[in-house]
Amino acid sequence: MHTVWVRLNAVVFFGLTVLLCLSIIAAISKIGHASRYRPVIHKLELNNMKSLKNHGGVDRALLSFDLHADMNPAFHWNIKQLFVYVVATYKTPTNPKNQIVLWDRIIENTDAPSQKILNEKNVFVKYGLVDQGAELRGRDVELSLMWDHMPLTGVLYMGEQEEGTASKFYLPMEYQ
């Protein structure tokens, strides 16, 4: 006969195998969800340029923006939360592509559907638009919304605003 330890071992590893199989099925269930169910971004645009200054040898712009986006379609049963953030992208002669996070928010799956709709007006940036040098003046800046899907099980993946739908604005040529 088998001992208690052999039977306990069989039961524990059978349970772990079932848990592994269920986790794999859960991870597979979200394949393609991000491409079919995208958040609806109604508005993301510059509201007000507060200042553009040179401080310590680097340019820094402080601004506010308006954001209206419905993040509800990005959720399904395997999403724990979304990390949503606004990114400013611009080019300089020194660096051909600069991306800076200006604002972020975490939206939980347990939040009410009304809290998953971002309707922000005149939002002041959490993090300033800071260039590595003094090359920010007169640049074309593009604001876009990005988000990270954080699942209960499976791989973390990113989503972003559709190409060509981001809002653009120009920074002034002079400091203000």
Side-chain angles (χ1 to χ4, degrees):
M1 278 289 164
H2 295 294
T3 66
V4 172
W5 296 115
V6 171
R7 291 180 184 190
L8 182 64
N9 185 31
V11 169
V12 167
F13 280 96
F14 176 74
L16 289 174
T17 304
V18 169
L19 186 62
L20 174 68
C21 291
L22 290 175
S23 294
I24 290 171
I25 290 169
I28 290 172
S29 75
K30 71 177 180 65
I31 292 175
H33 182 272
S35 60
R36 288 190 307 262
Y37 302 102
R38 299 183 59 81
V40 180
I41 302 164
H42 300 287
K43 181 181 183 182
L44 173 58
E45 62 186 28
L46 176 71
N47 184 312
N48 187 16
M49 173 63 68
K50 306 269 186 204
S51 70
L52 175 60
K53 295 181 180 178
N54 187 296
H55 181 71
V58 297
D59 283 353
R60 181 179 63 211
L62 298 176
L63 51 101
S64 66
F65 61 89
D66 293 336
L67 171 63
H68 183 213
D70 183 4
M71 303 306 287
N72 280 305
F75 283 92
H76 63 85
W77 72 271
N78 193 26
I79 297 293
K80 179 181 178 185
Q81 64 188 15
L82 286 181
F83 180 70
V84 183
Y85 49 102
V86 174
V87 175
T89 306
Y90 64 95
K91 297 177 185 176
T92 61
T94 308
N95 299 310
K97 185 174 185 180
N98 297 283
Q99 289 186 315
I100 299 173
V101 174
L102 301 176
W103 175 88
D104 59 26
R105 176 173 293 166
I106 295 174
I107 303 173
E108 300 280 338
N109 190 23
T110 55
D111 292 345
S114 61
Q115 291 178 316
K116 295 175 186 171
I117 297 174
L118 303 173
N119 194 5
E120 308 284 335
K121 302 227 186 284
N122 200 24
V123 179
F124 190 70
V125 294
K126 281 185 179 180
Y127 319 106
L129 177 56
V130 179
D131 187 50
Q132 292 177 340
E135 300 177 328
L136 206 51
R137 290 174 289 160
R139 298 288 165 213
D140 181 24
V141 179
E142 182 178 272
L143 290 178
S144 58
L145 190 67
M146 299 176 135
W147 54 92
D148 293 337
H149 294 86
M150 298 179 184
L152 295 169
T153 183
V155 180
L156 180 130
Y157 57 100
M158 294 175 50
E160 61 183 297
Q161 194 169 345
E162 290 181 19
E163 195 75 28
T165 62
S167 67
K168 296 181 181 181
F169 65 92
Y170 292 98
L171 291 169
M173 291 298 292
E174 300 298 322
Y175 292 122
Q176 45 172 309

